[in-house]
Amino acid sequence: MTEPEPRWIVAANVVLWRRYGPLGQELRPGTKAYKGGSKVFVASAHVGMGHEQLTTIGRGRHTGRWITIDTATRHLYGFRAKLVYTPAVLRRYDQVTWWPVRTEEEAVEYAERLECIAAEQRASYHVGPHPDPCRCHECLSRG
């Protein structure tokens, strides 16, 4: 088996804490599948749903093995272009993506767009007041 060629892929991190429950008054660390702060790679997006969900590749919270799972865009931040060499990531990426990013410029542009979408979704998903004290991504980013 030959090693896949390195590719430009959009990478992001999972928020350390996310709001949860009625009006977002509870806080949960990371997501069910990923630890907070984990690096994930964006393989594809559900465009028809306004990019609310992204198919991501990352190390699972419980096993540490590579997983491919749909993740809410609002649970990710720090989108950036990354040249990926890891064969396991590249194989999974090729299996699930339907529009591969071809250049660094495309990856940078898409990462900027996803960062804006994620921030909008975090701001609009839980419209109630933040719990006190709050450690959600938005509150930690401000302070």
Side-chain angles (χ1 to χ4, degrees):
M1 183 184 290
T2 63
E3 292 291 314
E5 290 290 320
R7 291 188 146 167
W8 285 101
I9 299 177
V10 174
N13 292 88
V14 178
V15 294
L16 295 175
W17 294 93
R18 63 184 167 95
R19 294 176 67 190
Y20 180 81
L23 298 175
Q25 293 302 298
E26 296 178 43
L27 293 169
R28 296 248 171 118
T31 67
K32 188 174 181 180
Y34 296 122
K35 293 178 183 177
S38 297
K39 179 171 41 173
V40 298
F41 301 97
V42 177
S44 65
H46 301 279
V47 182
M49 296 173 35
H51 286 83
E52 288 179 7
Q53 296 281 321
L54 300 173
T55 301
T56 59
I57 301 166
R59 297 275 187 173
R61 171 187 280 274
H62 302 290
T63 64
R65 293 182 179 197
W66 290 106
I67 61 171
T68 304
I69 192 167
D70 289 346
T71 305
T73 306
R74 70 181 182 276
H75 297 324
L76 303 175
Y77 74 98
F79 291 89
R80 61 205 177 271
K82 181 119 174 102
L83 187 58
V84 178
Y85 296 89
T86 310
V89 172
L90 295 170
R91 280 192 299 273
R92 285 176 177 270
Y93 182 82
D94 288 339
Q95 290 172 355
V96 298
T97 193
W98 52 273
W99 48 262
V101 174
R102 290 176 179 78
T103 65
E104 180 181 10
E105 293 77 23
E106 286 179 12
V108 168
E109 180 183 319
Y110 192 54
E112 290 170 355
R113 194 171 339 133
L114 287 175
E115 188 69 41
C116 292
I117 291 169
E120 286 174 14
Q121 289 180 1
R122 278 191 298 273
S124 65
Y125 192 78
H126 291 292
V127 293
H130 288 246
D132 186 31
C134 187
R135 298 179 304 222
C136 78
H137 182 74
E138 297 302 313
C139 292
L140 290 175
S141 298
R142 278 188 244 138

